[in-house]
């Protein structure tokens, strides 16, 4: 899809949103990955930055610290905490697996599933989405292109997060490098299940990136290094929400 | 190896241990797996049982709760807490990976590596053992037969834990079903690196199992369901240490 | 879904098929797995049995020998040969991967993707289906339940093959044990992409199983041990097609 | 280890080899990976180049084509053919796995195990080496550093092939970039099992690279793109063996 076409589609999406008054509450999910700047006590500090900016802006901001940091983060700061990974398996002989009840008990309200750095089989993605639903937790399935985004939507997660792998950590926002992948994903998901919301990931860090993502039809962003490794994450988050 | 030969070897090992006065401090590592009886607050209760029995018996008992439960367990109960899994990767773009600093910050003093329910590549096992050493943490590499036990010993972990997969969760102790795999592992490890200690896993739950493991040359046991799912885990642990 | 409801649905499917005169060419795909009875020269013998029965019955029968046996089988016997696995990756530094051009050059006309014994990530399933399409080859994506079947249909393969893992190799046909999973899969796929055909796997070996599968709306079956390990595979195949 | 030290060690190795008259038959293994230049009929052409140079130089040269190309290559050209991958699993329900009898029937005399592009778990490496031995086939376990090389030697394969991942496909020969990793590997393997030979991989393409590898104590090389993608692979192979 050409950039021009994509922009036109954006425009119409945007119009329709405004006109219908559809609830477009923006969602920001900050992934700490295994950056030292987001490990242990630093995860708590980042969560605090998220809460500060969420409160003053009214935008929903959640954090996905490393799994051993969920308990500490969720118990220290009152914002939604997500796990970076979850296994669909139930209780039993599953040493080292991430069991839904364990992350829920630790304070998580949801989980990423199938991040490109922790990919799962189709069967495991479905199982993970299912156990989150059973436990009334939020699910964010990460995908790498339009087709996998559409397939993930079949599992009726709360969100799919489209992140072209070649843009992750690139600093080049997907909304600029490949706006068509976002608009096409939004369209494809709508056909499969209109209740599933689309997040836009990969290369997002600034206010204009988030704005562009929203204009392309996404309901928010999944981002990491741009905030986690920023000199001042609070400032970086303020910039992120400044244009919406 | 025949059972008779194995028993003879045991006997000589045992004699040599007594005669040399070698430090045979026994080590028990309780793996919570993803059993509900060992999840969240239940992990803390199990850790408390471990501490009670460790204090009254003088035997070193450690616990490996699920990864999201490390922080809560380590901060509540003063016993050694291990992670059930660790990835060797350093800081960076590794969403969902278990990073050594995160588990250390959460309070873990060591980790299982390559449990049969969470197997790793050779390169990842080596990397995991190396990052634990760099961080002055304990390593327990799990293996499935004599050859893989010997190979794991090359990485100079603190412990190798031999667990024939067919006996895991069987209730049949490896010390009874296949004593040769234990004595052969002990011998093979001694040739590679005499500082590496051997744990005996799979089917262990009672005092006689631990005693047999020690007599076969192991320095302790890795066990799970027999204690975690016991009606009274404290009682079960008391029975476990009763014959040493 | 109750068995009664399922049977009712079958009946209506069946009726609609007859009434519309829709092309219901039945497709049988014989998976040799790594059975000795289907390895090397035995794969060629099985392919010969398939051809004999296909020719005399008019039913399309294809074979999926082990990957090293594709060349030998495809060059000896004139029936459609499928690979048991394919990787989506293109040419390059991918030692040990199964590259589409290599299996095509060897004589394969298609491939299984994501068999429950060789599961793939979502991204890899999509990539594998895409490279098969680009190379004008047939794709059969294996799935484990209704939700994953629907998701797989998004990739527009030629076939999805639903095989509840607990029934594989059980000897209990899915059409008897859980007819609802077949009819629900057929319905779900129809909504996603009506060009995708549904195969029914797991526990299929007899004529009545194939007949039941067709009545449930499937267009064929994926089967293995029931034929491969039969005393006389040709006879077993004749029985399989006897009721259609 | 400094380059100077490494060179000194080389020198003494070299001397000892010359002085003892130890059998230093050089072994070259050409990995076709999934390069188009080594796929299908091209694998046969490469095998022909290998045979030509092997016959005129007296150096043992083997080829590892893609798995679907084993049959065609082994039946066309009389040189040793290796598989790029093998699974340790026996016969049975293992769709898509590479079963030892299938590659042996197809004409392979051995296999790579655990190439960095197709890494295996510790248990699977051991199982693969064991089934090759049982079937009187050659095994080449690939490793990424000195420690994993030593561990692999425990399984008594015919060869370990040390390939620092950062040098694979770099064009920078490991013998130049990191000679210490080769000499240390040779020493470590000697301690574990002196019958295991060391191959040197990663970045090898020219005569001087092979010569350097031999001088560092290796008994040959594992190489790929430098020959497979050469304008004239026969010429490139002649250059490779020109200095030994």
């Amino acid at each position: 899809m050409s950039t021009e076409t994509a922009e036109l589609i954006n425009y119409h999406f945007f119009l329709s949103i405004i006109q219908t008054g559809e609830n477009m509450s923006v969602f920001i999910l900050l992934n700490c990955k295994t950056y030292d700047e987001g490990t242990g006590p630093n995860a708590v500090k980042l969560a605090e930055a998220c809460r500060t900016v969420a409160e003053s802006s009214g935008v929903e901001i959640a954090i996905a610290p490393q799994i051993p940091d969920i308990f500490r983060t969720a118990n220290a700061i009152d914002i939604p905490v997500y796990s970076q990974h979850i296994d669909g398996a139930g209780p039993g002989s599953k040493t080292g697996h991430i069991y839904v009840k364990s992350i829920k008990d630790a304070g998580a309200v949801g989980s990423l599933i199938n991040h490109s750095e922790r990919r799962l089989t189709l069967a495991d993605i479905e199982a993970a989405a299912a156990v989150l639903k059973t436990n009334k937790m939020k699910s964010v399935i990460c995908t790498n292109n339009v087709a996998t985004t559409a397939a993930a939507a079949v599992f009726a997660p709360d969100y799919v997060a489209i992140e072209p792998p070649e843009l992750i950590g690139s600093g080049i926002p997907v909304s600029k490098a490949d706006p068509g992948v976002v608009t096409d994903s939004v369209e494809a998901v709508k056909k499969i299940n209109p209740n599933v919301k689309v997040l836009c990931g990969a290369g997002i860090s600034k206010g204009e990136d988030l704005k562009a993502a929203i204009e392309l039809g996404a309901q928010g962003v999944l981002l990491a290094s741009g905030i986690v490794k920023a000199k001042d994450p609070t400032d970086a988050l303020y910039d992120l929400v400044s244009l919406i």
Side-chain angles (χ1 to χ4, degrees), chain A:
Chain A
M1 186 186 292
S2 73
T3 311
E4 289 71 28
T5 318
E7 280 171 5
L8 202 64
I9 287 175
N10 297 346
Y11 180 66
H12 286 295
F13 262 113
F14 204 46
L15 268 192
S16 74
I17 287 157
I18 290 164
Q19 287 164 357
T20 60
E22 191 185 324
N23 174 21
M24 263 300 292
S25 62
V26 169
F27 179 54
I28 294 169
L29 178 50
L30 181 61
N31 178 4
C32 296
K33 298 199 174 183
T34 58
Y35 295 125
D36 280 326
E37 297 85 348
T39 298
N42 290 338
V44 179
K45 279 186 207 161
L46 280 172
E48 208 168 359
C50 291
R51 187 186 51 188
T52 302
V53 178
E55 280 177 357
S56 82
S57 69
V59 174
E60 186 184 4
I61 306 180
I63 191 165
Q66 286 165 64
I67 295 164
D69 294 326
I70 292 173
F71 186 91
R72 165 202 316 244
T73 308
N75 282 274
I77 311 291
D78 188 29
I79 64 163
V81 172
Y82 280 65
S83 181
Q84 289 183 12
H85 166 69
I86 181 174
D87 289 299
S93 293
K94 294 281 175 181
T95 302
H97 288 232
I98 307 304
Y99 173 39
V100 64
K101 290 208 180 145
S102 180
I103 60 166
K104 191 178 184 183
D105 267 350
V109 302
S111 184
L112 290 175
I113 298 171
N114 192 46
H115 189 277
S116 72
E117 294 153 13
R118 188 74 176 82
R119 283 190 178 158
L120 298 178
T121 65
L122 180 66
D124 287 343
I125 293 170
E126 192 272 332
V131 297
L132 285 171
K133 193 160 292 176
T134 305
N135 284 274
K136 300 187 194 310
M137 296 172 75
K138 300 281 182 188
S139 51
V140 180
I141 304 181
C142 299
T143 54
N144 58 312
N145 59 24
V146 176
T148 52
T149 302
V154 169
F155 303 141
D158 294 281
Y159 297 96
V160 287
I162 164 80
E163 297 194 295
E166 65 279 13
L167 297 177
I168 294 179
S170 69
I172 307 167
V174 59
S175 44
K176 222 174 242 174
D178 190 2
V181 80
V182 183
T183 51
D184 289 357
S185 290
V186 169
E187 271 190 276
V189 167
K190 213 159 257 191
K191 274 183 205 155
I192 300 279
N193 183 340
N195 295 321
V196 177
K197 295 166 196 159
V198 175
L199 300 182
C200 181
I204 305 288
S205 65
K206 302 197 172 311
E208 54 184 311
D209 305 338
L210 175 55
K211 182 165 175 276
I214 302 300
E215 288 173 6
L216 293 168
Q219 291 218 300
V221 291
L222 172 62
L223 79 178
S225 60
I227 303 297
V228 177
K229 304 189 101 177
K231 270 191 194 168
D232 186 326
T234 311
D235 279 1
L237 282 165
Y238 271 124
D239 178 77
L240 184 69
V241 301
S242 61
L243 300 179
I244 54 168

